[in-house]
Amino acid sequence: MSTLHLTKGSRIPEGYFDGAVRRILSLQRDDGSIPWFDGGVFDPWNHVEAAMGLDVLGYREEAVKAYRHLVDTQLEDGSWWMQMGSAVPMDEEEQRYTGGDEEGGTYERDTNCAAYIATGLWHHYLLTEDRSFLEEFWPTLERAFHFIVDHQTEHGDIRWAARDTDTPDDALITASCSIHKSFEHAAHIAATLGHDDHARLWVTSREALGDALRTKPHRFDRTWDPKDHFSMEWYYPVLGGVLTGDAARAKIASRWDEFVQDGVGCRCVVHEPWITVAESAELCMALLSMGDRKRAEQMLAWQHQQRDDEGAYWMGLQTEVNQPWPAEKPAWTAGAVILAADAITQTTAACNALVDHTLPEVSGVETLKQRQRLNKR
């Protein structure tokens, strides 16, 4: 097994992530989309995560092609159709997902998936300082965040999916924490382009959402069982910037021993012997965001054990039998590891995009009700 312990300022060995990049590129289709695995399941969030991984390693053309796919497929209301990966069937014998584009999973218009384009666009801008890139994608971003803000309630929480469907009227903690982070990036883009009204609106929405996540737990998981058995529910408030400082450190300390297996990584589900590489890489970045560099570096180092012979990353490890499970190497898993490596080493100009939680300086932030009125104009 391959091991690599990266630290701040260290150099990633030349070619170390070639296998991970090849995996992403092998999955990217001619239209720019990057599905989860060979033959199926596409959602905008994981698509953007993979595109950012490509961008870190200098694959600008392929990353921009991925973002332009979102322009081409955006719906009139600013959302995108996504496939619900949790519903994709699995071949139990081969331990692989089954189902192609037509039959794999169910479809929904998810607010979190719509928001994540802001993170990808801001990440690309930090790498390139290409203002024309932001200008090209501004109409797409504006429509996406109109859709998101339109689904924010007077309490600050955001409906997890489009309200004109049969989905439950509810909000997800992990998804909302991700949206909280994407609001930050959307506001930076707006401020950079001189759209101060939009920047103010999105900062206001972020503040209202953050307040709901911190002080109104009754607004989440109202119609289904709580999802606190997933590790993302535990560390995403830190990764998304909802909790910082002492509150972040207390949150991570509260369940570290439940979710983290020493020498391997972070469990996806608390009671399952399944360490997932993407969750471990994200936890690495959450740790960095609260200043815990030592454990962040160790968490990432453990993940390099989960590479195949060509350097691509397995989705996860079933620790009881010490075997990769499922037999998949998703594009977004590679993307998450590459992003964590950049955050650890501080290699590129975008290394802190998912770690720092700064906002643009905008004056005259509106109240939530004022923001909701302006969003309807």
Side-chain angles (χ1 to χ4, degrees):
M1 290 186 178
S2 175
T3 58
L4 175 68
H5 194 106
L6 296 171
T7 60
K8 184 177 181 180
S10 64
R11 294 179 62 85
I12 299 170
E14 186 176 355
Y16 191 82
F17 286 122
D18 284 357
V21 168
R22 281 195 299 269
R23 180 57 180 158
I24 299 173
L25 294 176
S26 72
L27 289 169
Q28 188 171 31
R29 299 165 176 158
D30 290 342
D31 64 3
S33 63
I34 307 174
W36 280 26
F37 57 89
D38 301 289
V41 185
F42 171 86
D43 73 69
W45 198 103
N46 288 301
H47 167 85
V48 168
E49 188 86 341
M52 287 194 289
L54 291 176
D55 234 350
V56 166
L57 296 178
Y59 289 81
R60 301 281 185 262
E61 182 178 343
E62 293 81 358
V64 171
K65 186 176 181 180
Y67 294 127
R68 285 179 176 150
H69 174 76
L70 295 178
V71 175
D72 295 340
T73 56
Q74 188 178 35
L75 302 174
E76 187 174 342
D77 68 352
S79 67
W80 285 269
W81 286 115
M82 62 162 283
Q83 289 171 276
M84 302 297 288
S86 61
V88 176
M90 178 175 287
D91 185 313
E92 293 299 331
E93 182 175 344
E94 295 190 6
Q95 295 298 303
R96 292 183 180 276
Y97 293 118
T98 60
D101 298 342
E102 300 301 324
E103 57 185 307
T106 56
Y107 288 80
E108 192 46 73
R109 295 180 357 256
D110 182 290
T111 50
N112 177 36
C113 283
Y116 208 52
I117 188 175
T119 295
L121 298 181
W122 183 242
H123 180 264
H124 182 86
Y125 175 74
L126 291 175
L127 289 170
T128 64
E129 297 185 351
D130 184 355
R131 183 185 174 93
S132 66
F133 171 83
L134 293 184
E135 291 171 342
E136 174 187 348
F137 285 89
W138 172 255
T140 303
L141 181 74
E142 184 182 18
R143 285 192 295 270
F145 276 80
H146 184 96
F147 168 74
I148 295 154
V149 170
D150 188 51
H151 285 80
Q152 187 167 33
T153 77
E154 62 183 359
H155 307 286
D157 55 302
I158 295 176
R159 198 183 195 278
W160 78 277
R163 67 171 63 90
D164 59 353
T165 66
D166 294 331
T167 56
D169 182 14
D170 212 333
L172 290 160
I173 292 174
T174 297
S176 296
C177 292
S178 179
I179 294 172
H180 185 267
K181 186 65 176 174
S182 291
F183 268 130
E184 172 193 317
H185 295 141
H188 274 294
I189 293 170
T192 299
L193 294 179
H195 300 297
D196 290 349
D197 285 347
H198 290 79
R200 283 190 288 269
L201 297 181
W202 295 340
V203 168
T204 302
S205 289
R206 179 185 184 270
E207 292 181 351
L209 177 58
D211 180 68
L213 284 160
R214 288 185 293 268
T215 68
K216 303 174 184 177
H218 58 282
R219 293 301 304 171
F220 301 87
D221 299 330
R222 304 189 305 273
T223 63
W224 48 56
D225 292 336
K227 301 185 183 300
D228 56 2
H229 54 295
F230 288 100
S231 61
M232 289 188 293
E233 294 280 290
W234 163 58
Y235 66 77
Y236 248 85
V238 179
L239 182 62
V242 177
L243 299 178
T244 59
D246 289 342
R249 287 185 282 273
K251 180 70 171 179
I252 294 302
S254 69
R255 303 192 71 184
W256 180 270
D257 292 338
E258 294 180 63
F259 283 113
V260 175
Q261 183 171 332
D262 190 57
V264 190
C266 181
R267 294 184 181 91
C268 177
V269 183
V270 69
H271 297 303
E272 296 291 340
W274 183 37
I275 300 298
T276 41
V277 174
E279 275 82 350
S280 298
E282 288 181 333
L283 177 56
C284 164
M285 291 185 280
L287 291 167
L288 283 177
S289 76
M290 64 185 213
D292 193 343
R293 170 166 287 276
K294 182 177 179 180
R295 287 198 295 184
E297 292 173 357
Q298 186 63 76
M299 182 64 61
L300 182 61
W302 292 339
Q303 301 324 299
H304 304 313
Q305 301 173 95
Q306 313 310 326
R307 288 157 42 107
D308 70 4
D309 292 339
E310 297 181 352
Y313 288 82
W314 294 105
M315 185 174 183
L317 178 76
Q318 212 284 3
T319 58
E320 287 187 349
V321 296
N322 197 34
Q323 290 183 354
W325 188 90
E328 299 289 354
K329 291 166 280 190
W332 42 269
T333 296
V337 174
I338 294 167
L339 289 166
D342 190 34
I344 287 285
T345 60
Q346 299 282 284
T347 297
T348 77
C351 62
N352 290 321
L354 296 173
V355 173
D356 286 349
H357 305 301
T358 59
L359 290 169
E361 294 183 5
V362 290
S363 60
V365 174
E366 291 85 358
T367 66
L368 181 58
K369 288 185 178 180
Q370 288 173 321
R371 191 273 299 148
Q372 288 170 332
R373 286 198 297 270
L374 286 169
N375 190 59
K376 293 178 180 178
R377 289 182 178 177

